[in-house]
Amino acid sequence: MDPDVPLLNDYKKEFFLKRFPQTVLGGPRLKLGYCAPPYIYVNQIILFLTPWVLGGVGTLLYQLDIMKDYCTAALSGGLMFVTALILQMTNLYAKQKTMTVERRQIQNTLTDEDEFEFSSCIGSETVKFIIPGKKYIINTVFHSLLAGVLCGLGTWYLLPNRITLLYSNIGGTVMIFVFGWVTVCIGEYSLIINTATETATFQALDTYEITALMRPFYIFVFVAVDLAHRFAVNTPILEQTNQILHIIFLFLPFLWAMGVLPPLDALFLWGMEQLLEFGLGGSPMSSNTKLLVMFLISAGTAIASYFIPSTLGVLLFMTGFGFILSLNLSEIGFTFKHTVISHLASSKSKNMHRGLQFGWREFMFYLTVLTFALVEASLLHQFAGFSSFSKARPQAIASYVLIILFIMMWILREIQKVYLFGVFRNPFYPKDVRTVTVFMEKQRRLMKVGVVRRILLTVVSPFAMIAFLSLDRALQNLHSVSVCIGFTRIFRMVWQHTENALVDIVVVSIVQMLVLNPDLWWNRSLDTGIRLLLVGILRDRLLQFVSKLQFAMAVLLTSWTEKKQRRKSTATLITLNVIFFPILLTIVAISALLSSPLLPLFTLPVFLVGFPRPIRSWPGPVGPKACVCFDTVYYQQLVPSLAVALQSALAAGSLGLSLPGSHYLCRFQDRLMWILVLEKGFTYCGVNIKGLELQETSCHAAEAQRVDEIFEMAFEHQEHTKILSPNHHFGHILTPCTLLPVRLYSDARNVLSGIIDSHENLKQMKDDFIKVLVWMLVQYCYNKSKMCESPGNAGKANKGSFPETQHICAIEKSRPLREEESSSADTIEDWDDDSEIFDPEPSGKMKDRREAGQLGATPEVCLSIPGSVETESQDVPQEMSPEDKLHRAVVLGLPAVDKGKQQQVLPQIEFSCSYSELLSIPEEWQTAPVPTSKVHEMRQRFPEEWYHFILSQLDFFYLKEKPANLLEDLMKDKALKDLYIHGVLSCCFGMFGLDNAILVPSHVFRAYTGGIPWSVGLNWLTGKPELFQLALKAFRYTIKLMVDKASLGPVENFKELVNYLEEYENNWYIGLASDLEWQQAVLQEKPFLFSLGHDPTMGVYTGRVLTLQELLVQVGKLNEEAVRGQWANLSWELLYATNDDEERYSIQAHSVLLRNLTVQAADPPLGYPVYSSELLYLPLF
């Protein structure tokens, strides 16, 4: 990759330079890219300044003491409302006029798609260009009304006298008045004239025209603070806030243009998520609906606790609801719903779970834990009493216990990962990890450690924290809002985020031990609940700051150290970052404070504060969108097993501290699984698993190779390393965690040179094909007879009466097919014209048909497939006969046949054994147009011993009464054998034609893939789909047998050959990777799959074998802020700059940031994962 590839191509650069000024000004299109009349620009400037003019009228009347301030605001707002309505009505009139006249525009295909032809200053095209109008009538009225309110409040907000009272500075008043009105005009223009495309874009489509409300909303927020300051008395904090916000108000256009302020949908989702997590102790949710419902329930719980009059009652209420809300309520509700439905339907539902099995065992566990928690809280609250914190009091003792628990859990979590703190190699982690068995044996000690940690995390720590909280003296103050908020939050966090709650309580306890002075602000003004809330926010923002700073340093350093990322501008950008490093730290700090992504523009070391958004980064629901392809099925197969392995790893702590928003990357061979944690609660975790493409591009391959190097260094090169060896990839965004045993397919690809092109193998292939086909035909007829024949029916019939009294299902079902085939034009004997060319005897064809009925009684007669042409006696030499040559000459020129002239009738064959009907080949498979000489040849090549061996393996267990010599009689039945000779010959005729030449590799490959060249035989064979599939399947089995014999040695005897074929039938799928049956076999977890391929570049044939087994999958944790930052840039670059170039700089390989893989893992349409699971709930008992 050339590092100086353009960030934007010429077309997109021109487009961006037109769009960005429009965004800055709120909608006026002053840069069009083509020549437009001057009145286009003048009209837009007049409309842009109209709110200022209308507000200026009211301001002037107020300054002259003609009107009060509120009357001034009402006047300006009313004028703006009327003006907005007039403008919208003008747009509607222009649209109707255009539709009435039906003027047909002749577009010039050589001009830009957005070029307009203007006729006059107020023409219809001019109006529609400047004022696009609203999609919905209700928005026309609502936005006009809102524009009036905005203008009125803006006039009130920017009254010069009011500003002078705030700052007592004339120069400052003028600056705020002028630039403040510019801000208001920008908001008004985007609301009522033309909505600009925002750099902060969350949704790809603005269906309900919400984007137009974004800028007015933020103006209303500033005005609301000013109004609160006007009507509040003696509030210095509000006055200082109002002064600061008046200054920030001037920079709103800059914040809008830079995309710092979020759109309304992202703002409300982010706000609910932050309040739910840090104000109410909950967890981010996987969908917008669940987030809203959980927020309302949690807020209602906090409000209800304020009105409970009893101290014990409020404690029990907080404890109980904190535990209940931390459970997976959606899954419990799903289970309850299906239980009720099953009872109403009087049937049991066997598939009641979608990942979390919630039954009586879980219900009793939760009920027991809740009961003990309530009892503990009530007893400690009732009998321990309340007193100030001292080192001898019960709460101090609980603090010591919590500190010990925190240290133990921290150690137990770290020693289960391959790297301690991500820096040093863990000496306790298994070194030899080549096989699952060895790894699981060596990890047994760590598994015991995981069990101990799980018990401490699930049971011991929550009860210890409840003891600490129940002993707190702040619970005496029932009617304090701060107490209700703080303690409702922490009583829920104890269960929802046990590890985070433990950290917060330990920090508060240590501070209390160090600061015992009751007169200090920390102890005097804050209760324990608020202290924990502040510590929790500080902990989260500090971790975000460190993670974002690590990401920024990685982008900055790798822009120079990675040669492929070193652009001409790199040195300049690094210099600027070093010079303005305090500004860089400020940007990182603001981003961490807002919990918004740190956006590297085009993934260069140019950092911006992205707008705040939900932790999952994308607006849509989880799971249903993915770029489905043939590779998707491999992820569908492994995800259930991977989910089970993740369940154990998360519960044990071997994946580190997993919080909502954590990202993990799993690697096995060519498969990459991207895991995102979406929800976390008491004993459950909600994750989404994505699968990335298997067809690696150059960028994908480069990053995947670096991932392999990192995992290989961590897990495979440790036999001779020193204790506490450092992590050589410490600065990378991927940190290896552990290995997971997962049941999946290993993919092995081999070159078949020397096997498929071997002369000896190809020479033996036709004989092997005949053997495989015989076995397959016998198995087919035997299995069909098992399904059609009722047990005992065949045994009740004697040999003489069996054919007359018993009718097999296959014969009855084949009768319509036989009648249909009798009118087919594919058979040569239907060509009656000039038949003397073919037959020495005029009546030879009918003679053959009469003789065909005596197959069982006259073995000395020359036999052929019923209906075929026969002209020679048995003493004809085996070389190509004249009619065979003629047959080959005319097969491509068959004339049309009068189908109503004759019907082909096959008389019933007389078997010497009455049970031969059970193995009889369907009659419609006996009509292939094969010359007689080929029948003689096939009779000599037919493997009679193999045929007898196959028959000897049949048991006919479904027959209640069968003669002891049944198998011997079947072997002696020559008519039955002749049927199989004809069936095999028909398939050989269709697959290989009449030639006896040795096959060539190209024909073998084409036949394997089903691409056999057309012939009369193939045309007849494909007319029998079931027989054709059997023949194709037998041919593919033959190919696999040839490969196995070349690899494992020759087949010793018939028994070994049968074992091979039974193994293929039961445990293998042999076909093409593009077949639907291949995908079904993968989902059904067939143990082995084989396919034959061809590499045209190297000119070799390849074999691919998938083997289902339990193997080790490597798992590493990604820097979540690096992922969020790159996804934020992706969203900006595609949704705003529309830079969808497949070779753009920001999608090229980056071995440290994993830029290409991160882009792939984004939700469609911006990303392109080939698989995305539904929300998976993992129980963590």
Side-chain angles (χ1 to χ4, degrees), residues 946-1125:
W946 167 248
Y947 169 72
H948 290 164
F949 180 80
I950 295 174
L951 294 181
S952 67
Q953 302 298 308
L954 306 178
D955 52 11
F956 294 97
F957 64 91
Y958 54 89
L959 299 178
K960 291 184 178 179
E961 299 178 4
K962 56 184 178 181
N965 58 347
L966 172 61
L967 297 179
E968 295 180 5
D969 293 341
L970 290 175
M971 295 179 195
K972 295 178 181 179
D973 194 334
K974 294 184 178 180
L976 181 62
K977 185 183 75 170
D978 286 337
L979 276 184
Y980 278 94
I981 291 174
H982 296 154
V984 171
L985 177 59
S986 300
C987 294
C988 291
F989 177 46
M991 299 292 290
F992 309 122
L994 294 174
D995 291 332
N996 293 325
I998 298 175
L999 298 176
V1000 294
S1002 60
H1003 182 88
V1004 171
F1005 177 72
R1006 293 171 65 183
Y1008 184 92
T1009 58
I1012 308 170
W1014 187 92
S1015 66
V1016 172
L1018 179 64
N1019 194 35
W1020 175 89
L1021 186 59
T1022 53
K1024 316 293 182 294
E1026 200 169 8
L1027 180 60
F1028 176 71
Q1029 291 301 320
L1030 283 176
L1032 182 60
K1033 187 177 181 181
F1035 186 81
R1036 290 174 174 178
Y1037 280 18
T1038 306
I1039 298 292
K1040 183 66 176 66
L1041 181 63
M1042 179 176 64
V1043 174
D1044 286 347
K1045 289 196 300 183
S1047 305
L1048 306 176
V1051 178
E1052 299 292 340
N1053 49 50
F1054 289 158
K1055 182 64 177 176
E1056 185 177 353
L1057 180 55
V1058 168
N1059 291 338
Y1060 269 115
L1061 298 179
E1062 289 179 348
E1063 174 75 9
Y1064 297 159
E1065 187 71 20
N1066 298 327
N1067 298 326
W1068 286 78
Y1069 175 78
I1070 301 174
L1072 298 174
S1074 58
D1075 291 342
L1076 178 61
E1077 292 80 3
W1078 178 283
Q1079 300 184 24
Q1080 294 172 350
V1082 171
L1083 294 178
Q1084 294 167 3
E1085 297 195 337
K1086 205 80 169 175
F1088 305 97
L1089 293 92
F1090 173 84
S1091 70
L1092 183 68
H1094 181 250
D1095 188 349
T1097 57
M1098 300 179 62
V1100 296
Y1101 295 94
T1102 59
R1104 181 185 183 188
V1105 177
L1106 299 185
T1107 305
L1108 182 65
Q1109 53 189 323
E1110 192 172 46
L1111 297 167
L1112 295 175
V1113 173
Q1114 302 156 331
V1115 185
K1117 188 173 185 179
L1118 295 160
N1119 184 332
E1120 56 267 19
E1121 293 304 326
V1123 176
R1124 294 184 67 202

Side-chain angles (χ1 to χ4, degrees), residues 11 15 111-116:
Y11 173 76
F15 174 80
T111 60
D112 293 339
E113 65 274 10
D114 56 353
E115 185 171 338
F116 289 79

Side-chain angles (χ1 to χ4, degrees), residues 480-514:
S480 170
V481 175
S482 63
V483 169
C484 291
I485 293 176
F487 278 92
T488 300
R489 170 188 173 274
I490 193 59
F491 270 108
R492 181 173 178 182
M493 271 196 69
V494 163
W495 308 101
Q496 190 93 48
H497 302 290
T498 306
E499 291 183 86
N500 286 344
L502 184 60
V503 174
D504 297 347
I505 292 178
V506 166
V507 171
V508 170
S509 299
I510 293 175
V511 173
Q512 284 183 332
M513 292 176 185
L514 298 177

Side-chain angles (χ1 to χ4, degrees), residues 20 317 382 508 607 671 740 802:
F20 189 69
F317 181 81
Q382 192 71 26
V508 170
F607 299 100
R671 270 150 282 183
L740 300 179
F802 183 80

Side-chain angles (χ1 to χ4, degrees), residues 232-427:
V233 182
N234 297 326
T235 50
I237 296 179
L238 271 179
E239 183 177 359
Q240 295 174 4
T241 304
N242 197 17
Q243 289 175 347
I244 295 172
L245 290 182
H246 267 79
I247 302 300
I248 299 177
F249 188 78
L250 310 182
F251 294 94
L252 275 181
F254 174 78
L255 297 178
W256 288 328
M258 292 294 102
V260 177
L261 299 178
L264 297 186
D265 48 357
L267 175 66
F268 285 110
L269 293 174
W270 169 81
M272 282 194 297
E273 189 175 86
Q274 293 293 305
L275 287 174
L276 178 62
E277 184 175 2
F278 299 104
L280 301 171
S283 166
M285 307 305 287
S286 60
S287 68
N288 300 337
T289 304
K290 292 176 65 176
L291 177 63
L292 178 60
V293 172
M294 184 56 71
F295 175 77
L296 294 177
I297 295 175
S298 303
T301 302
I303 294 172
S305 65
Y306 180 77
F307 297 98
I308 298 177
S310 168
T311 56
L312 180 61
V314 72
L315 179 63
L316 295 178
F317 181 81
M318 291 177 177
T319 305
F321 269 88
F323 174 79
I324 293 172
L325 292 179
S326 68
L327 301 177
N328 190 0
L329 297 181
S330 61
E331 198 70 10
I332 294 174
F334 177 83
T335 304
F336 176 77
K337 172 185 174 182
H338 278 256
T339 303
V340 172
I341 292 175
S342 65
H343 281 295
L344 292 177
S346 300
S347 61
K348 295 182 179 180
S349 177
K350 296 182 179 179
N351 299 317
M352 290 174 52
H353 65 276
R354 297 172 298 175
L356 175 63
Q357 297 180 356
F358 185 81
W360 285 106
R361 182 174 65 91
E362 290 78 12
F363 175 76
M364 294 305 299
F365 172 75
Y366 290 147
L367 184 61
T368 303
V369 172
L370 177 60
T371 303
F372 275 100
L374 294 175
V375 171
E376 179 194 18
S378 59
L379 290 178
L380 292 176
H381 178 80
Q382 192 71 26
F383 300 110
F386 306 99
S387 63
S388 300
F389 188 92
S390 65
K391 296 182 179 180
R393 298 302 299 168
Q395 192 177 23
I397 297 174
S399 299
Y400 294 129
V401 173
L402 290 174
I403 293 173
I404 295 173
L405 279 174
F406 169 72
I407 296 174
M408 290 177 60
M409 291 180 57
W410 179 66
I411 294 175
L412 295 178
R413 185 184 70 204
E414 287 297 321
I415 65 175
Q416 293 185 79
K417 298 188 296 183
V418 67
Y419 285 118
L420 299 175
F421 319 112
V423 181
F424 300 105
R425 214 316 178 141
N426 181 6

Side-chain angles (χ1 to χ4, degrees), residues 548-666:
K548 292 177 193 295
L549 187 60
Q550 182 183 358
F551 170 51
M553 292 297 101
V555 174
L556 188 61
L557 295 177
T558 56
S559 65
W560 182 261
T561 57
E562 298 285 330
K563 292 184 179 180
K564 292 185 178 181
Q565 309 300 326
R566 195 181 300 171
R567 298 171 60 89
K568 294 179 181 178
S569 59
T570 298
T572 304
L573 293 176
I574 292 177
T575 304
L576 291 175
N577 276 278
V578 172
I579 295 175
F580 298 103
F581 189 72
I583 297 179
L584 173 60
L585 289 180
T586 303
I587 291 175
V588 174
I590 294 174
S591 178
L593 187 64
L594 295 175
S595 187
S596 61
L598 180 67
L599 192 155
L601 198 62
F602 297 105
T603 64
L604 293 173
V606 179
F607 299 100
L608 303 175
V609 179
F611 66 87
R613 66 199 79 191
I615 200 71
R616 63 181 185 271
S617 296
W618 308 111
V622 174
K625 294 184 292 185
C627 303
V628 179
C629 64
F630 288 115
D631 298 334
T632 302
V633 68
Y634 302 111
Y635 292 108
Q636 290 176 333
Q637 179 274 323
L638 68 87
V639 160
S641 179
L642 177 61
V644 174
L646 282 174
Q647 171 184 328
S648 302
L650 288 170
S654 56
L655 297 183
L657 183 62
S658 59
L659 300 172
S662 297
H663 295 260
Y664 296 92
L665 186 66
C666 303

Side-chain angles (χ1 to χ4, degrees), residues 34-98:
Y34 57 91
C35 184
Y39 55 77
I40 296 296
Y41 305 102
V42 173
N43 287 350
Q44 291 184 84
I45 294 173
I46 292 174
L47 292 174
F48 180 81
L49 298 176
T50 297
W52 197 346
V53 173
L54 299 179
V57 172
T59 302
L60 181 62
L61 294 177
Y62 172 75
Q63 292 297 120
L64 297 176
D65 292 330
I66 298 177
M67 299 181 68
K68 299 290 184 182
D69 53 357
Y70 54 87
C71 295
T72 297
L75 175 63
S76 299
L79 292 175
M80 188 66 217
F81 172 63
V82 173
T83 304
L85 276 181
I86 292 174
L87 292 174
Q88 292 301 314
M89 293 303 113
T90 304
N91 171 264
L92 293 176
Y93 175 75
K95 288 182 178 179
Q96 291 180 355
K97 182 179 179 181
T98 305

